Amino acid sequence: MSTEKEKRENSRPGGAKLGHAPHNRQLADDPNEFRDHVPGICEQCGGAFSLDAAMELIGEYDEIEIPPVKPYVIRHRRFACRCAHRGSQAKALAPAIATTTLFGPRNASVLTGLFDEERRPAVRRWVVIADTISPA
């Protein structure tokens, strides 16, 4: 009867087995940005490479990131007009947003979900709220 230790010692290492076809991730057709990584010095002698040194591309890797959401801000402007005949002033009615929250319906639903006490710690909620409503 074999022991657990014997089983571990006789087992194959994890990972892909010999002859296994590689499953490489497909690179994006049109990346938004390129960042080149070049060596600065020779590993053998420590000498610096010149800016026009011959280079060979040896690998490419995509980093996929969701861009930050930019808030869509609607500024409601209220005007008053003076009557040319009577000289009285007429004011436009205040929009509903002037007397309620400054958040539109989409933000209101996001914020309502964030305040669900059972799902998200308080500190994390405030970080997400700050990220959501920051004007930058």
Side-chain angles (χ1 to χ4, degrees), residues 75-115:
R75 173 148 311 143
H76 294 265
R77 302 188 310 168
R78 192 171 161 221
F79 291 94
C81 297
R82 189 144 317 267
C83 177
H85 304 289
R86 306 216 17 165
S88 60
Q89 186 182 52
K91 297 178 183 178
L93 295 174
I97 197 75
T99 58
T100 61
T101 177
L102 64 102
F103 302 114
R106 283 188 219 98
N107 268 339
S109 65
V110 168
L111 294 173
T112 301
L114 289 174
F115 277 99

Short mmCIF file of all heavy atoms in Angstrom, two decimals, residues 75-115:
data_model
loop_
_atom_site.label_atom_id
_atom_site.label_comp_id
_atom_site.label_asym_id
_atom_site.label_seq_id
_atom_site.Cartn_x
_atom_site.Cartn_y
_atom_site.Cartn_z
N ARG A 75 -25.66 70.58 -17.70
CA ARG A 75 -25.85 71.79 -16.90
C ARG A 75 -27.20 72.38 -17.27
O ARG A 75 -27.45 72.77 -18.40
CB ARG A 75 -24.75 72.81 -17.17
CG ARG A 75 -25.05 74.12 -16.47
CD ARG A 75 -23.86 74.89 -16.02
NE ARG A 75 -22.93 74.08 -15.29
CZ ARG A 75 -21.60 74.23 -15.40
NH1 ARG A 75 -21.09 75.14 -16.18
NH2 ARG A 75 -20.80 73.47 -14.70
N HIS A 76 -28.08 72.43 -16.30
CA HIS A 76 -29.40 73.04 -16.50
C HIS A 76 -29.27 74.52 -16.19
O HIS A 76 -28.80 74.90 -15.12
CB HIS A 76 -30.42 72.39 -15.56
CG HIS A 76 -30.68 70.96 -15.89
ND1 HIS A 76 -31.72 70.56 -16.69
CD2 HIS A 76 -30.01 69.82 -15.55
CE1 HIS A 76 -31.70 69.25 -16.81
NE2 HIS A 76 -30.67 68.77 -16.13
N ARG A 77 -29.64 75.35 -17.13
CA ARG A 77 -29.53 76.81 -16.94
C ARG A 77 -30.92 77.41 -16.97
O ARG A 77 -31.71 77.13 -17.86
CB ARG A 77 -28.64 77.42 -18.03
CG ARG A 77 -27.26 76.78 -18.02
CD ARG A 77 -26.26 77.43 -18.91
NE ARG A 77 -26.74 77.64 -20.27
CZ ARG A 77 -26.11 78.40 -21.16
NH1 ARG A 77 -25.00 79.02 -20.83
NH2 ARG A 77 -26.59 78.55 -22.36
N ARG A 78 -31.18 78.23 -16.01
CA ARG A 78 -32.49 78.86 -15.85
C ARG A 78 -32.36 80.33 -16.19
O ARG A 78 -31.47 81.02 -15.69
CB ARG A 78 -32.91 78.67 -14.40
CG ARG A 78 -34.31 78.99 -14.12
CD ARG A 78 -34.64 78.56 -12.69
NE ARG A 78 -35.84 79.27 -12.28
CZ ARG A 78 -36.02 79.79 -11.11
NH1 ARG A 78 -35.10 79.68 -10.18
NH2 ARG A 78 -37.13 80.41 -10.85
N PHE A 79 -33.23 80.82 -17.01
CA PHE A 79 -33.17 82.22 -17.45
C PHE A 79 -34.42 82.98 -17.03
O PHE A 79 -35.47 82.40 -16.77
CB PHE A 79 -33.03 82.31 -18.97
CG PHE A 79 -31.70 81.84 -19.47
CD1 PHE A 79 -31.52 80.53 -19.89
CD2 PHE A 79 -30.62 82.71 -19.53
CE1 PHE A 79 -30.30 80.10 -20.35
CE2 PHE A 79 -29.40 82.28 -19.98
CZ PHE A 79 -29.23 80.97 -20.40
N ALA A 80 -34.25 84.29 -17.00
CA ALA A 80 -35.37 85.21 -16.76
C ALA A 80 -35.38 86.20 -17.91
O ALA A 80 -34.33 86.55 -18.46
CB ALA A 80 -35.20 85.94 -15.43
N CYS A 81 -36.56 86.62 -18.30
CA CYS A 81 -36.70 87.61 -19.37
C CYS A 81 -37.53 88.78 -18.86
O CYS A 81 -38.44 88.62 -18.05
CB CYS A 81 -37.41 86.99 -20.58
SG CYS A 81 -36.53 85.65 -21.34
N ARG A 82 -37.22 89.98 -19.35
CA ARG A 82 -37.98 91.16 -19.00
C ARG A 82 -38.94 91.47 -20.15
O ARG A 82 -38.55 91.49 -21.31
CB ARG A 82 -37.03 92.34 -18.77
CG ARG A 82 -37.77 93.50 -18.18
CD ARG A 82 -37.02 94.34 -17.18
NE ARG A 82 -36.20 93.74 -16.16
CZ ARG A 82 -36.62 93.44 -14.92
NH1 ARG A 82 -37.88 93.62 -14.60
NH2 ARG A 82 -35.79 92.98 -14.04
N CYS A 83 -40.18 91.67 -19.81
CA CYS A 83 -41.22 91.95 -20.80
C CYS A 83 -41.00 93.36 -21.38
O CYS A 83 -40.85 94.32 -20.64
CB CYS A 83 -42.61 91.86 -20.16
SG CYS A 83 -43.95 92.29 -21.29
N ALA A 84 -40.98 93.46 -22.71
CA ALA A 84 -40.76 94.74 -23.37
C ALA A 84 -41.95 95.68 -23.19
O ALA A 84 -41.79 96.90 -23.24
CB ALA A 84 -40.49 94.52 -24.86
N HIS A 85 -43.14 95.16 -22.96
CA HIS A 85 -44.33 95.99 -22.84
C HIS A 85 -44.59 96.45 -21.40
O HIS A 85 -44.91 97.61 -21.16
CB HIS A 85 -45.56 95.23 -23.35
CG HIS A 85 -45.40 94.76 -24.76
ND1 HIS A 85 -45.41 95.62 -25.84
CD2 HIS A 85 -45.21 93.52 -25.28
CE1 HIS A 85 -45.24 94.93 -26.94
NE2 HIS A 85 -45.12 93.65 -26.62
N ARG A 86 -44.47 95.57 -20.46
CA ARG A 86 -44.82 95.89 -19.08
C ARG A 86 -43.62 96.04 -18.16
O ARG A 86 -43.76 96.52 -17.05
CB ARG A 86 -45.73 94.79 -18.52
CG ARG A 86 -46.92 94.59 -19.44
CD ARG A 86 -48.17 94.27 -18.80
NE ARG A 86 -48.23 94.56 -17.37
CZ ARG A 86 -49.33 94.60 -16.70
NH1 ARG A 86 -50.45 94.40 -17.31
NH2 ARG A 86 -49.35 94.83 -15.42
N GLY A 87 -42.45 95.57 -18.59
CA GLY A 87 -41.26 95.69 -17.76
C GLY A 87 -41.16 94.65 -16.66
O GLY A 87 -40.23 94.67 -15.86
N SER A 88 -42.13 93.74 -16.60
CA SER A 88 -42.08 92.71 -15.56
C SER A 88 -41.13 91.59 -15.98
O SER A 88 -40.85 91.39 -17.14
CB SER A 88 -43.48 92.16 -15.28
OG SER A 88 -44.00 91.58 -16.46
N GLN A 89 -40.67 90.90 -14.97
CA GLN A 89 -39.71 89.82 -15.23
C GLN A 89 -40.42 88.47 -15.15
O GLN A 89 -41.18 88.22 -14.22
CB GLN A 89 -38.57 89.87 -14.20
CG GLN A 89 -37.46 88.87 -14.49
CD GLN A 89 -36.37 88.91 -13.44
OE1 GLN A 89 -36.65 88.82 -12.25
NE2 GLN A 89 -35.14 89.06 -13.88
N ALA A 90 -40.16 87.62 -16.14
CA ALA A 90 -40.70 86.26 -16.15
C ALA A 90 -39.54 85.30 -15.97
O ALA A 90 -38.53 85.41 -16.67
CB ALA A 90 -41.43 85.99 -17.46
N LYS A 91 -39.67 84.40 -15.01
CA LYS A 91 -38.60 83.43 -14.73
C LYS A 91 -39.02 82.05 -15.21
O LYS A 91 -40.16 81.64 -15.02
CB LYS A 91 -38.32 83.38 -13.23
CG LYS A 91 -37.82 84.68 -12.67
CD LYS A 91 -37.61 84.54 -11.17
CE LYS A 91 -37.18 85.86 -10.56
NZ LYS A 91 -37.03 85.76 -9.10
N ALA A 92 -38.06 81.33 -15.80
CA ALA A 92 -38.32 79.95 -16.20
C ALA A 92 -38.48 79.10 -14.94
O ALA A 92 -37.88 79.39 -13.90
CB ALA A 92 -37.15 79.41 -17.03
N LEU A 93 -39.32 78.09 -15.02
CA LEU A 93 -39.48 77.19 -13.89
C LEU A 93 -38.17 76.45 -13.62
O LEU A 93 -37.43 76.12 -14.55
CB LEU A 93 -40.59 76.18 -14.16
CG LEU A 93 -42.00 76.75 -14.32
CD1 LEU A 93 -42.97 75.65 -14.73
CD2 LEU A 93 -42.44 77.41 -13.01
N ALA A 94 -37.90 76.21 -12.36
CA ALA A 94 -36.69 75.46 -12.00
C ALA A 94 -36.85 74.01 -12.44
O ALA A 94 -37.91 73.42 -12.25
CB ALA A 94 -36.44 75.54 -10.50
N PRO A 95 -35.81 73.43 -13.02
CA PRO A 95 -35.91 72.02 -13.41
C PRO A 95 -35.95 71.14 -12.15
O PRO A 95 -35.52 71.55 -11.07
CB PRO A 95 -34.64 71.78 -14.22
CG PRO A 95 -33.68 72.81 -13.75
CD PRO A 95 -34.50 74.00 -13.33
N ALA A 96 -36.47 69.95 -12.30
CA ALA A 96 -36.59 69.03 -11.17
C ALA A 96 -35.24 68.79 -10.49
O ALA A 96 -35.17 68.64 -9.27
CB ALA A 96 -37.20 67.71 -11.63
N ILE A 97 -34.17 68.78 -11.25
CA ILE A 97 -32.84 68.51 -10.70
C ILE A 97 -32.43 69.56 -9.68
O ILE A 97 -31.62 69.32 -8.79
CB ILE A 97 -31.79 68.39 -11.84
CG1 ILE A 97 -30.52 67.71 -11.36
CG2 ILE A 97 -31.46 69.72 -12.44
CD1 ILE A 97 -30.64 66.25 -11.16
N ALA A 98 -33.00 70.77 -9.77
CA ALA A 98 -32.64 71.84 -8.84
C ALA A 98 -33.16 71.58 -7.43
O ALA A 98 -32.63 72.14 -6.47
CB ALA A 98 -33.18 73.17 -9.35
N THR A 99 -34.14 70.75 -7.31
CA THR A 99 -34.73 70.50 -5.99
C THR A 99 -34.53 69.06 -5.52
O THR A 99 -35.03 68.68 -4.48
CB THR A 99 -36.23 70.81 -6.02
OG1 THR A 99 -36.85 70.00 -7.02
CG2 THR A 99 -36.48 72.28 -6.31
N THR A 100 -33.81 68.25 -6.30
CA THR A 100 -33.56 66.85 -5.91
C THR A 100 -32.07 66.60 -5.92
O THR A 100 -31.26 67.52 -5.84
CB THR A 100 -34.27 65.88 -6.89
OG1 THR A 100 -33.75 66.07 -8.20
CG2 THR A 100 -35.77 66.09 -6.90
N THR A 101 -31.68 65.36 -6.08
CA THR A 101 -30.27 64.97 -6.11
C THR A 101 -29.61 65.47 -7.38
O THR A 101 -30.27 65.69 -8.39
CB THR A 101 -30.13 63.44 -6.01
OG1 THR A 101 -28.75 63.11 -6.13
CG2 THR A 101 -30.89 62.74 -7.12
N LEU A 102 -28.31 65.64 -7.35
CA LEU A 102 -27.60 66.08 -8.55
C LEU A 102 -27.27 64.91 -9.48
O LEU A 102 -26.72 65.11 -10.55
CB LEU A 102 -26.32 66.84 -8.18
CG LEU A 102 -25.23 66.06 -7.44
CD1 LEU A 102 -24.14 65.67 -8.41
CD2 LEU A 102 -24.66 66.93 -6.35
N PHE A 103 -27.60 63.70 -9.08
CA PHE A 103 -27.29 62.53 -9.90
C PHE A 103 -28.46 62.17 -10.80
O PHE A 103 -29.61 62.20 -10.37
CB PHE A 103 -26.95 61.33 -9.01
CG PHE A 103 -25.79 61.59 -8.11
CD1 PHE A 103 -25.96 61.64 -6.74
CD2 PHE A 103 -24.53 61.82 -8.62
CE1 PHE A 103 -24.89 61.89 -5.91
CE2 PHE A 103 -23.46 62.08 -7.80
CZ PHE A 103 -23.64 62.12 -6.43
N GLY A 104 -28.14 61.80 -12.04
CA GLY A 104 -29.16 61.35 -12.97
C GLY A 104 -29.63 59.94 -12.61
O GLY A 104 -29.11 59.32 -11.70
N PRO A 105 -30.60 59.41 -13.35
CA PRO A 105 -31.19 58.12 -13.00
C PRO A 105 -30.19 56.96 -13.02
O PRO A 105 -30.25 56.07 -12.19
CB PRO A 105 -32.29 57.91 -14.04
CG PRO A 105 -32.13 58.98 -15.06
CD PRO A 105 -31.25 60.04 -14.49
N ARG A 106 -29.23 56.96 -13.96
CA ARG A 106 -28.26 55.87 -13.99
C ARG A 106 -27.35 55.90 -12.77
O ARG A 106 -27.09 54.88 -12.15
CB ARG A 106 -27.43 55.94 -15.28
CG ARG A 106 -28.19 55.44 -16.48
CD ARG A 106 -27.27 55.33 -17.70
NE ARG A 106 -28.00 55.74 -18.86
CZ ARG A 106 -27.94 56.95 -19.42
NH1 ARG A 106 -27.15 57.86 -18.94
NH2 ARG A 106 -28.65 57.24 -20.46
N ASN A 107 -26.84 57.09 -12.43
CA ASN A 107 -25.98 57.21 -11.25
C ASN A 107 -26.75 56.88 -9.99
O ASN A 107 -26.21 56.28 -9.07
CB ASN A 107 -25.39 58.62 -11.13
CG ASN A 107 -24.05 58.72 -11.80
OD1 ASN A 107 -23.38 57.74 -12.02
ND2 ASN A 107 -23.65 59.93 -12.11
N ALA A 108 -27.99 57.31 -9.91
CA ALA A 108 -28.78 57.03 -8.72
C ALA A 108 -28.91 55.52 -8.50
O ALA A 108 -28.78 55.04 -7.38
CB ALA A 108 -30.16 57.68 -8.84
N SER A 109 -29.10 54.76 -9.58
CA SER A 109 -29.23 53.31 -9.42
C SER A 109 -27.90 52.68 -9.02
O SER A 109 -27.85 51.76 -8.22
CB SER A 109 -29.79 52.66 -10.69
OG SER A 109 -28.88 52.80 -11.75
N VAL A 110 -26.79 53.18 -9.57
CA VAL A 110 -25.47 52.67 -9.19
C VAL A 110 -25.22 52.94 -7.71
O VAL A 110 -24.79 52.07 -6.96
CB VAL A 110 -24.36 53.32 -10.04
CG1 VAL A 110 -22.99 53.04 -9.47
CG2 VAL A 110 -24.44 52.82 -11.48
N LEU A 111 -25.48 54.17 -7.28
CA LEU A 111 -25.24 54.55 -5.89
C LEU A 111 -26.14 53.79 -4.93
O LEU A 111 -25.72 53.41 -3.84
CB LEU A 111 -25.40 56.05 -5.71
CG LEU A 111 -24.34 56.87 -6.46
CD1 LEU A 111 -24.67 58.35 -6.38
CD2 LEU A 111 -22.96 56.61 -5.93
N THR A 112 -27.37 53.53 -5.33
CA THR A 112 -28.27 52.75 -4.49
C THR A 112 -27.69 51.35 -4.28
O THR A 112 -27.68 50.85 -3.16
CB THR A 112 -29.67 52.65 -5.13
OG1 THR A 112 -30.18 53.97 -5.30
CG2 THR A 112 -30.61 51.84 -4.29
N GLY A 113 -27.18 50.74 -5.34
CA GLY A 113 -26.56 49.42 -5.21
C GLY A 113 -25.33 49.44 -4.33
O GLY A 113 -25.05 48.50 -3.59
N LEU A 114 -24.57 50.53 -4.37
CA LEU A 114 -23.36 50.62 -3.57
C LEU A 114 -23.66 50.70 -2.08
O LEU A 114 -22.85 50.32 -1.26
CB LEU A 114 -22.54 51.84 -3.99
CG LEU A 114 -21.85 51.73 -5.34
CD1 LEU A 114 -21.20 53.06 -5.68
CD2 LEU A 114 -20.83 50.63 -5.33
N PHE A 115 -24.82 51.23 -1.73
CA PHE A 115 -25.14 51.39 -0.33
C PHE A 115 -25.82 50.17 0.27
O PHE A 115 -26.27 50.20 1.40
CB PHE A 115 -25.99 52.65 -0.11
CG PHE A 115 -25.13 53.87 -0.01
CD1 PHE A 115 -24.96 54.69 -1.10
CD2 PHE A 115 -24.45 54.16 1.15
CE1 PHE A 115 -24.15 55.81 -1.03
CE2 PHE A 115 -23.63 55.26 1.23
CZ PHE A 115 -23.48 56.10 0.14
#
